[in-house]
């Protein structure tokens, strides 16, 4: 045990945190893909976060993606657009950091605090990207229903900081979501 810091260096698996050669090469290939190159030429680059998969919430997230992608001199993108699969779990964090760094705006479309986007929220508070983050948060119309969907202390505290900074826009239905999206810079 290192008495100066109270950390046993033999206990921390530093090797497990690093990418192996194949993972590094795959990440490098993804970072030099045509999809990634489009980011270099857009004035506004919107990274769209939120629920994925085959759900109504994921469809609403795709609507935000499409609306922002249709703006002049803008492009919208998601982690999924870069060919990562669940088998590439070790690459997600590195790719996510790279995409956050290249985004001029990071947009979180949130309807609850379930799923992988809660993990993504934690990274949004790094000082380097904090000013690029905006949240489109669903409001279910009453306190009890909102509490049922947003009952996660860690996620709630993260989102509260963004609400205090006036970076959260609330919406209730698809029409409200379109209007909320139009208010984004």
């Amino acid at each position: 045990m290192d008495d100066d810091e109270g950390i046993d260096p033999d206990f921390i698996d530093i090797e497990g945190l690093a990418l192996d050669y194949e993972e590094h090469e795959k990440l490098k290939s993804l970072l030099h893909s045509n999809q990634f190159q489009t980011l270099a030429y857009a004035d506004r680059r919107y990274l769209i976060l939120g629920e994925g998969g085959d759900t109504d919430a994921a469809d609403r997230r795709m609507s935000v993606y499409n609306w922002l992608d249709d703006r002049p001199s803008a492009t919208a993108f998601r982690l999924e657009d870069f060919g990562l699969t669940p088998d590439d779990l070790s690459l997600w964090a590195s790719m996510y950091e790279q995409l956050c760094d290249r985004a001029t705006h990071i947009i979180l479309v949130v309807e609850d605090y379930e799923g992988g986007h809660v993990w993504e929220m934690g990274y949004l508070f790094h000082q380097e990207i904090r000013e690029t983050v905006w949240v489109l948060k669903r409001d279910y119309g009453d306190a009890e229903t909102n509490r049922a969907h947003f009952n996660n202390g860690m996620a709630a505290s993260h989102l509260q900081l963004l609400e205090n900074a006036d970076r959260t826009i609330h919406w209730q239905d698809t029409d409200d979501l379109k209007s909320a999206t139009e208010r984004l810079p």
Side-chain angles (χ1 to χ4, degrees), residues 26-88:
K26 183 166 185 173
L27 181 62
K28 201 164 76 171
S29 294
L30 291 169
L31 293 175
H32 295 288
S33 68
N34 288 339
Q35 177 69 25
F36 205 79
Q37 293 300 318
T38 63
L39 301 181
Y41 299 105
D43 292 334
R44 287 180 288 169
R45 298 173 300 279
Y46 295 99
L47 173 57
I48 313 301
L49 307 174
E51 186 168 331
D54 188 24
T55 65
D56 290 341
D59 291 345
R60 286 184 285 275
R61 175 182 169 226
M62 261 324 276
S63 293
V64 170
Y65 174 97
N66 290 326
W67 295 326
L68 292 173
D69 196 54
D70 285 344
R71 288 182 171 184
S73 300
T75 189
F77 57 101
R78 306 166 304 148
L79 269 75
E80 302 95 314
D81 295 340
F82 292 86
L84 292 174
T85 69
D87 293 337
D88 299 317

Side-chain angles (χ1 to χ4, degrees), residues 22-184:
E22 288 81 18
E23 292 167 331
H24 178 73
E25 287 299 309
K26 183 166 185 173
L27 181 62
K28 201 164 76 171
S29 294
L30 291 169
L31 293 175
H32 295 288
S33 68
N34 288 339
Q35 177 69 25
F36 205 79
Q37 293 300 318
T38 63
L39 301 181
Y41 299 105
D43 292 334
R44 287 180 288 169
R45 298 173 300 279
Y46 295 99
L47 173 57
I48 313 301
L49 307 174
E51 186 168 331
D54 188 24
T55 65
D56 290 341
D59 291 345
R60 286 184 285 275
R61 175 182 169 226
M62 261 324 276
S63 293
V64 170
Y65 174 97
N66 290 326
W67 295 326
L68 292 173
D69 196 54
D70 285 344
R71 288 182 171 184
S73 300
T75 189
F77 57 101
R78 306 166 304 148
L79 269 75
E80 302 95 314
D81 295 340
F82 292 86
L84 292 174
T85 69
D87 293 337
D88 299 317
L89 189 58
S90 61
L91 301 179
W92 281 87
S94 295
M95 189 63 161
Y96 179 59
E97 289 176 15
Q98 292 289 326
L99 293 176
C100 284
D101 286 345
R102 282 163 178 72
T104 59
H105 302 80
I106 301 170
I107 312 300
L108 173 63
V109 183
V110 63
E111 298 192 34
D112 58 42
Y113 291 152
E114 303 293 327
H117 60 277
V118 174
W119 174 84
E120 294 168 348
M121 286 175 61
Y123 187 77
L124 299 180
F125 294 90
H126 283 165
Q127 187 171 353
E128 300 81 26
I129 63 169
R130 191 178 307 151
E131 294 299 316
T132 65
V133 177
W134 288 85
V135 177
L136 298 174
K137 182 180 179 187
R138 185 163 188 185
D139 181 342
Y140 289 91
D142 67 84
E144 186 174 321
T145 306
N146 282 332
R147 219 177 353 266
H149 286 276
F150 298 108
N151 187 18
N152 177 320
M154 181 67 78
S157 66
H158 285 337
L159 216 53
Q160 187 61 52
L161 292 172
L162 292 169
E163 290 197 45
N164 293 346
D166 291 328
R167 292 190 160 288
T168 301
I169 303 170
H170 296 270
W171 58 278
Q172 290 188 347
D173 58 29
T174 303
D175 291 335
D176 284 345
L177 180 58
K178 183 162 179 50
S179 175
T181 302
E182 291 169 356
R183 294 173 44 201
L184 293 168

